[in-house]
Amino acid sequence: MADFLDMPEFRVPLEVMPYFFDNGDRCYELPVKWVRRRDERFMGLRLITRRQQFGLCYQQLAGRYYWSMPNPSGVLVCPFVETRYIVPGAEFPGDIDLLILPYEGNELVLSKAMAVELKVIRASFLKQGKSPNSFGFTQAGGLMALGFPYVAVAHLITSDDSPPRYWRETLVTTVLDQTGLVDTPVGFTTDMLPADLIDRGFRRLLSRSPHDCIGLLSTYMEGEGTWLPSGKAAGLNPQMQCGLLQRLGEYYYRNPERFLLTPKFPLERSLGK
């Protein structure tokens, strides 16, 4: 399967960088009902604003490319883009849940652009095996047909907690210094339901995926901590269209304020400060 490093690069100048939203900045204002219902739009925005979790997810979906990204680099993420604004006349899918444009230095790397279809999985302790009404593969197929270089499906999992009597003992340790030295592991009892749901969701995605080049992601969205996501890197779309890459650049030039800046490295280093 061809992947991120197998396609000739298409780059354009990054003339305007979006504003960087730092800790404490107000980024998005959402209706309360979106939050209470765990609406797909709320969950998508929650993912991209939790930068550590998003970085772990992008690492899964980008594969080798993520590890090859130089300093400075990162991604510009635009949530919930109406497809017709990029591909005039396109009716399906109606929107792109996450449009991810990588940048390196002062260039947009449009040949590594990725379109992600999101689905919220509303599980619970009593219904851990609940399947979504739609896995998102039909929409992903539509994005492939439109010519996006890389396409992925991401399942965002929400759930209640397990009763304490079902918690399990695990080992926990503390990192002592920058060399990676850790303290002696000790036993720790915790709710492992999130890890079980991530694993079950990813295996289900793998078994249902209709095309090997579609990236797959399963990640847990509740709580303050970050559970490691499970995923498979997207491969190069065999229906990729070079003309679409130019349109992606044009869309960014028209709407830089719609993109969330997510640097891979600390921003001070990325800006050469």
Side-chain angles (χ1 to χ4, degrees):
M1 179 180 69
D3 74 3
F4 269 81
L5 301 183
D6 297 322
M7 176 184 174
E9 290 191 343
F10 181 84
R11 298 171 177 244
V12 297
L14 180 56
E15 298 173 351
V16 179
M17 185 73 81
Y19 173 79
F20 179 74
F21 288 91
D22 209 340
N23 292 336
D25 288 345
R26 178 177 295 178
C27 189
Y28 297 106
E29 295 183 354
L30 309 176
V32 173
K33 64 180 180 181
W34 287 12
V35 180
R36 290 174 177 168
R37 296 175 183 174
R38 293 302 192 255
D39 183 273
E40 186 175 280
R41 290 161 291 186
F42 162 69
M43 297 291 276
L45 294 174
R46 190 178 196 185
L47 174 64
I48 65 175
T49 53
R50 298 170 78 168
R51 285 193 174 97
Q52 181 183 28
Q53 182 173 8
F54 176 81
L56 292 169
C57 292
Y58 185 66
Q59 175 184 322
Q60 295 285 337
L61 294 176
R64 287 192 297 158
Y65 174 63
Y66 176 86
W67 297 108
S68 74
M69 295 174 75
N71 182 18
S73 65
V75 294
L76 310 175
V77 187
C78 187
F80 307 108
V81 186
E82 290 189 48
T83 310
R84 62 189 176 92
Y85 290 144
I86 297 175
V87 184
E91 298 181 355
F92 182 82
D95 62 5
I96 305 155
D97 292 340
L98 296 182
L99 174 61
I100 303 174
L101 305 181
Y103 71 90
E104 296 179 13
N106 60 355
E107 293 181 316
L108 276 176
V109 190
L110 296 176
S111 48
K112 306 293 194 295
M114 179 182 291
V116 182
E117 174 67 22
L118 302 177
K119 291 294 179 185
V120 177
I121 309 300
R122 298 178 177 86
S124 67
F125 172 74
L126 296 177
K127 296 182 179 179
Q128 298 181 29
K130 183 178 180 182
S131 295
N133 295 327
S134 168
F135 279 82
F137 290 124
T138 300
Q139 293 90 336
L143 294 169
M144 290 178 62
L146 291 174
F148 286 88
Y150 298 92
V151 174
V153 170
H155 284 188
L156 312 182
I157 303 169
T158 178
S159 175
D160 57 6
D161 298 328
S162 301
R165 67 179 181 275
Y166 289 97
W167 291 16
R168 304 199 295 270
E169 184 169 313
T170 61
L171 294 177
V172 62
T173 187
T174 302
V175 179
L176 299 178
D177 59 33
Q178 294 182 346
T179 68
L181 181 67
V182 297
D183 202 353
T184 302
V186 296
F188 182 77
T189 301
T190 190
D191 185 3
M192 293 299 292
L193 178 60
D196 295 339
L197 293 174
I198 290 170
D199 179 67
R200 181 181 291 111
F202 179 61
R203 287 188 283 108
R204 190 164 50 198
L205 281 168
L206 275 176
S207 66
R208 300 291 186 94
S209 180
H211 202 297
D212 195 40
C213 77
I214 296 177
L216 305 174
L217 180 75
S218 176
T219 188
Y220 189 77
M221 296 297 299
E222 295 297 341
E224 296 301 322
T226 299
W227 291 84
L228 288 176
S230 291
K232 179 182 77 70
L236 179 62
N237 177 12
Q239 303 176 66
M240 189 276 299
Q241 297 181 21
C242 293
L244 180 65
L245 304 184
Q246 185 67 43
R247 295 194 194 102
L248 291 175
E250 293 169 354
Y251 180 79
Y252 176 76
Y253 290 149
R254 294 194 305 269
N255 305 279
E257 72 285 351
R258 292 211 64 223
F259 286 77
L260 187 68
L261 170 60
T262 303
K264 180 181 179 183
F265 300 92
L267 188 61
E268 291 77 13
R269 293 174 59 197
S270 297
L271 294 180
K273 295 182 179 178

